[in-house]
Amino acid sequence: METLLVHLALLAYAAGAAAFLTWLVRPDPRWAGAGRGLLFAGLVLHVASFASNIGVAGLGLGADSWKGGQLFSLLAALIVAGYLFLDRRGLAPIAGVVVAPLTLAVMVPAHLVATSEHAVVQPLWTSGALFVHVAAATLGTAVLALAFGLSALYLASERQAKSRRPGRLFARLTSLESIDRAGYRLAVWGFIFLSVAIGTGSLVSKAATGAVLPIAPKEGFALLAWALLAAMIQARLVAGWRGRRIAILVVVGFVLVAFVYVGLLSASPSLRGALALAIGVWP
Amino acid sequence: MTTICVGVSHRQAPTALRERLAVPAALLPDRLRQLRELPGVREAMILSTCNRLEIFASADSREIAGDIQRTLDPAAAPLAACRFDEDALRHLFRITASLESMVLGEAQILGQVKEAAAQARQAGTLGPELQRLVERASTAAKRVRTETEIARGAVSLSSVAADLARKLLGDLADRAVLLIGAGEMAQLAARELRAQGVKELLVANRGLARAEELAREVDGLAVSLADLPALLVRADVVICSTGAEEYLVTRELVDQAVKARRYRPLFLVDLSLPRNVEPSANELENVYLYDLDDLERVAAQNRGQRQSQVGRAEEIVEEELRALLAQAHERHAVPVLARLRAHAEAVACAEAEKTIAALRGLDERQQRSVRAMANAIVNKLLHAPTARLRAEAGSGPLADAATALFGFDEAQGAIGGRHDRETLASHG
């Protein structure tokens, strides 16, 4: 049942992405409406698949193994939920053109690429810090993914405006300024979640391995991303940076966070426990 | 009944002639009534804009088009095009969808058609036929605007500049615009931006007196050109249109301004020839510089985009036209169906009563059963003919065959409603 629901959710996301891309070519508002509707339907199915599995595996605390794909699935759902939330607050449908395919890019590997099962160390099975760590890390990544999408959109549109040959992307935009503002705000939220994730992560690490800050690529990328985002916020607030420079920093920041996940999937079993929460909600 | 359109537009008549043809709003009711008083005219509507005069009428025959044509200015009458029925409907649909406009996709024409209908209604010359046409034409026009890109993208240079400002800067309510020079196009662009709600419109000129005069014209504030460095920090949109031979706004000046602005975006519009803004300023971060060629290129791109949508727009117009014609045919079919059913029900009812009388002693329930059986036979027998007549929508041979077979045309002349049914019932 859970697998069927996830299959249907994936199909709805794919159809939503297709609708948004069609809207880019043929700007009938009904296409954008269909895109939103399909993403919402996909999210409902996705959440239903999580809910049906929670009944079996609880909230994840106490789980003794996990799969990498589960995390990506949860991320995809959070990205869509975040987009739909922002959409209701006036984000233009053009963001859907970037976010819907991005969701697919996150969801497809989760769903179609087989990932191996990893064990969770026993001391972490009931850790509260682990719960906060996983929640903050997942939310932070989802928010940064949205910021990444908007920043990429900004860079592409700004390029068109600078070239003085505005194309379809620029034509569908509400304004460059609104995309810049929304991308920056999301990046700030991503930074806040990332800070919490790093703080609680060190507690989890101490419980699992005895080291507060283990020297490993994963932690290195997380700290680098954190420092970059901190510098970006500083530059915006103090020096007034905006537009292209901020968008590039957000894109690089998200790429560094993505490397954290690559590191995570190949990390030692002890720290994989940090993702135990995600396990419980995957079929 | 026939629909007639007699019209002269920018395609046939020069501006001077169209000026003479235009009907001022105050005279419109009288002109409408004059048309309505022509023999055979049942309904009339006049669409008078700066680009066309079109008279739509619902009349008894096509010959009346000549009478309508003669009401036009003698110089224009020979140029007027007369269209009938489907052609006339299509013409109204195309006009309303702005497919016949001088600027393809312009927004005003839909409102003008609705206004023409409202005035005809007020003058008492708009009846159900023309009302239905206008409603359906409006539906088609709205579909064309939402389902195609025919109305997207500005096509005049001043509106392209205003459009770009909105795309780059977002809401213009808190923005300031600096107008340098007195060029006509710059003033147009400034007015357009003002209409979009810019907070502050600053006007700079070499002579302060001229700047003040200009500021009054565009509802702005006169400032000194000597303060240009500070003005570039204050304004978010700069429209330059002077006769200066050198760059007034240099890259260096803009570079300093951008830093002082803390990288807030700056949109520079250079409408001067020779140019007044150093072209390399566009390379600076968060600075967007468009000159006349750039604006013209965007306008041409938008015009091309609109033109490419004509095919799809015409498809929509045809779809809506077909739907309107089908509805009209169906409305035509209803009287035949009504007469057929009334005839059959009257026969069934008479036969059922005759049977009840012959059988004598039937209780109420049994009588009801006999009547129900007669009704059921009528319904079953008429089911297929009704469906076919509806499908044919009254325009084909079946409706005529039914009329001839059952003698409806002899029973009454005009297409009827209640009176026809009563007549038929009495025959039954």
Side-chain angles (χ1 to χ4, degrees):
Chain A
M1 180 63 180
E2 302 92 65
T3 311
L4 176 68
L5 288 170
V6 177
H7 272 130
L8 291 173
L10 180 60
L11 280 177
Y13 291 152
F20 274 116
L21 291 171
T22 309
W23 173 78
L24 187 64
V25 183
R26 286 180 73 163
D28 185 338
R30 284 177 295 187
W31 283 114
R36 280 190 202 102
L38 285 162
L39 286 189
F40 181 71
L43 181 65
V44 170
L45 292 163
H46 209 160
V47 170
S49 81
F50 293 156
S52 69
N53 199 44
I54 281 173
V56 180
L59 282 169
L61 291 173
D64 57 3
S65 69
W66 65 282
K67 281 185 175 181
Q70 298 163 354
L71 179 65
F72 285 98
S73 181
L74 188 62
L75 260 179
L78 282 171
I79 291 170
V80 173
Y83 167 70
L84 291 173
F85 174 74
L86 291 173
D87 186 60
R88 283 192 60 84
R89 297 185 55 142
L91 194 70
I94 188 73
V97 173
V98 183
V99 173
L102 180 69
T103 305
L104 270 189
V106 175
M107 184 78 174
V108 165
H111 188 57
L112 299 179
V113 180
T115 52
S116 56
E117 198 157 307
H118 306 271
V120 178
V121 293
Q122 200 273 337
L124 289 177
W125 286 4
T126 54
S127 166
L130 171 68
F131 182 89
V132 178
H133 172 68
V134 172
T138 319
L139 275 171
T141 310
V143 168
L144 280 174
L146 282 171
F148 164 80
L150 290 184
S151 298
L153 178 64
Y154 179 92
L155 290 172
S157 308
E158 198 254 5
R159 195 182 161 84
Q160 290 190 353
K162 273 281 189 191
S163 73
R164 295 179 279 196
R165 282 181 169 76
R168 283 185 203 281
L169 211 56
F170 190 77
R172 308 282 179 274
L173 210 62
T174 42
S175 75
L176 267 183
E177 182 73 0
S178 61
I179 296 289
D180 170 59
R181 224 176 15 243
Y184 170 70
R185 282 182 187 162
L186 283 168
V188 170
W189 278 107
F191 173 75
I192 293 168
F193 284 126
L194 189 61
S195 305
V196 175
I198 289 173
T200 49
S202 65
L203 296 178
V204 171
S205 169
K206 189 165 186 249
T209 66
V212 174
L213 193 62
I215 305 302
K218 181 178 79 72
E219 286 74 18
F221 281 126
L223 284 174
L224 208 57
W226 184 88
L228 189 88
L229 291 173
M232 182 271 293
I233 293 168
Q234 170 85 352
R236 176 92 169 200
L237 294 177
V238 178
W241 282 19
R242 58 177 65 226
R244 190 171 179 76
R245 288 187 198 186
I246 293 291
I248 290 171
L249 289 177
V250 172
V251 167
V252 175
F254 177 73
V255 170
L256 289 172
V257 170
F259 280 134
V260 174
Y261 282 82
V262 174
L264 185 76
L265 295 177
S266 57
S268 67
S270 59
L271 280 180
R272 289 177 206 138
L275 287 162
L277 188 66
I279 302 161
V281 291
W282 177 256
Chain B
M1 187 83 72
T2 189
T3 306
I4 298 171
C5 170
V6 177
V8 180
S9 75
H10 58 94
R11 294 187 200 277
Q12 295 109 8
T15 311
L17 187 55
R18 295 203 307 274
E19 276 170 359
R20 274 163 52 191
L21 276 175
V23 184
L27 299 181
L28 204 57
D30 285 343
R31 283 293 298 273
L32 283 164
R33 275 189 282 272
Q34 279 169 16
L35 285 167
R36 176 70 183 80
E37 281 160 13
L38 289 173
V41 173
R42 297 189 174 208
E43 300 175 27
M45 179 180 91
I46 297 175
L47 174 66
S48 175
T49 73
C50 51
N51 283 327
R52 62 180 66 251
L53 176 80
E54 308 274 357
I55 298 171
F56 290 90
S58 177
D60 290 341
S61 70
R62 291 187 172 200
E63 284 68 42
I64 293 159
D67 298 338
I68 294 174
Q69 203 168 353
R70 278 187 286 280
T71 66
L72 298 175
D73 184 289
L79 300 173
C82 295
R83 296 176 176 86
F84 302 98
D85 298 321
E86 197 175 321
D87 282 344
L89 305 189
R90 182 175 289 107
H91 189 57
L92 175 63
F93 276 47
R94 288 180 63 87
I95 289 173
T96 315
S98 83
L99 288 168
E100 296 290 329
S101 296
M102 199 178 259
V103 177
L104 189 65
E106 52 110 350
Q108 290 86 353
I109 189 67
L110 174 57
Q112 288 167 331
V113 170
K114 284 181 178 172
E115 182 58 27
Q119 282 168 329
R121 196 179 304 114
Q122 228 165 15
T125 63
L126 190 81
E129 285 293 323
L130 290 183
Q131 174 74 42
R132 264 194 293 272
L133 295 191
V134 171
E135 278 170 12
R136 199 78 198 200
S138 303
T139 305
K142 284 176 194 159
R143 277 192 63 199
V144 165
R145 295 185 74 77
T146 54
E147 293 176 30
T148 73
E149 289 191 75
I150 205 155
R152 280 183 184 265
V155 288
S156 71
L157 296 193
S158 56
S159 50
V160 166
D163 205 32
L164 281 167
R166 213 178 38 248
K167 289 270 180 203
L168 293 168
L169 307 172
D171 186 10
L172 297 174
D174 290 327
R175 306 289 183 175
V177 175
L178 171 63
L179 185 60
I180 305 174
E184 193 186 337
M185 209 183 300
Q187 286 182 47
L188 277 176
R191 283 202 179 93
E192 192 123 4
L193 286 164
R194 190 56 145 176
Q196 290 187 18
V198 293
K199 186 182 71 178
E200 199 173 28
L201 186 53
L202 308 165
V203 182
N205 208 297
R206 286 203 191 277
L208 195 61
R210 177 68 184 127
E212 278 168 355
E213 189 189 328
L214 259 177
R216 271 195 300 277
E217 281 174 27
V218 295
D219 189 21
L221 179 71
V223 289
S224 168
L225 199 54
D227 296 332
L228 191 56
L231 292 171
L232 288 177
V233 179
R234 186 167 159 190
D236 303 290
V237 180
V238 178
I239 304 171
C240 224
S241 177
T242 79
E245 296 287 324
E246 73 286 356
Y247 296 137
L248 286 179
V249 182
T250 60
R251 180 190 170 120
E252 193 188 345
L253 209 54
V254 177
D255 193 19
Q256 286 164 7
V258 165
K259 283 173 189 145
R261 296 167 61 83
R262 289 168 56 87
Y263 300 96
R264 272 186 299 121
L266 178 63
F267 179 37
L268 301 169
V269 185
D270 190 354
L271 301 173
S272 331
L273 271 179
R275 288 177 289 183
N276 289 166
V277 183
E278 194 172 344
S280 64
N282 188 56
E283 292 162 15
L284 296 169
E285 212 170 327
N286 294 325
V287 175
Y288 305 91
L289 167 61
Y290 281 68
D291 61 24
L292 272 172
D293 284 350
D294 301 324
L295 295 178
E296 178 48 42
R297 193 168 42 239
V298 176
Q301 194 178 314
N302 290 342
R303 279 196 293 271
Q305 182 63 34
R306 287 183 177 204
Q307 198 60 44
S308 72
Q309 301 297 303
V310 168
R312 172 68 191 131
E314 283 176 336
E315 276 173 26
I316 292 171
V317 162
E318 286 303 316
E319 272 172 33
E320 291 293 332
L321 186 59
R322 294 268 87 79
L324 178 77
L325 291 171
Q327 275 179 1
H329 288 150
E330 197 163 327
R331 271 199 308 280
H332 230 68
V334 167
V336 177
L337 285 170
R339 286 199 290 269
L340 187 59
R341 178 159 287 277
H343 176 65
E345 281 173 356
V347 170
C349 178
E351 291 306 315
E353 294 307 322
K354 224 189 275 179
T355 305
I356 290 166
L359 288 173
R360 273 186 226 152
L362 293 181
D363 61 25
E364 214 168 294
R365 197 176 64 81
Q366 289 165 329
Q367 287 184 22
R368 271 205 308 271
S369 296
V370 172
R371 291 190 188 105
M373 183 189 70
N375 276 335
I377 291 170
V378 168
N379 286 338
K380 290 235 172 340
L381 280 175
L382 288 189
H383 177 74
T386 302
R388 283 185 189 141
L389 274 169
R390 276 195 194 283
E392 184 199 69
S395 64
L398 290 180
D400 294 339
T403 307
L405 268 174
F406 291 95
F408 296 154
D409 46 353
E410 292 155 21
Q412 60 277 303
I415 295 170
R418 192 164 62 89
H419 173 71
D420 303 320
R421 284 196 289 278
E422 282 166 5
T423 314
L424 279 163
S426 70
H427 280 205

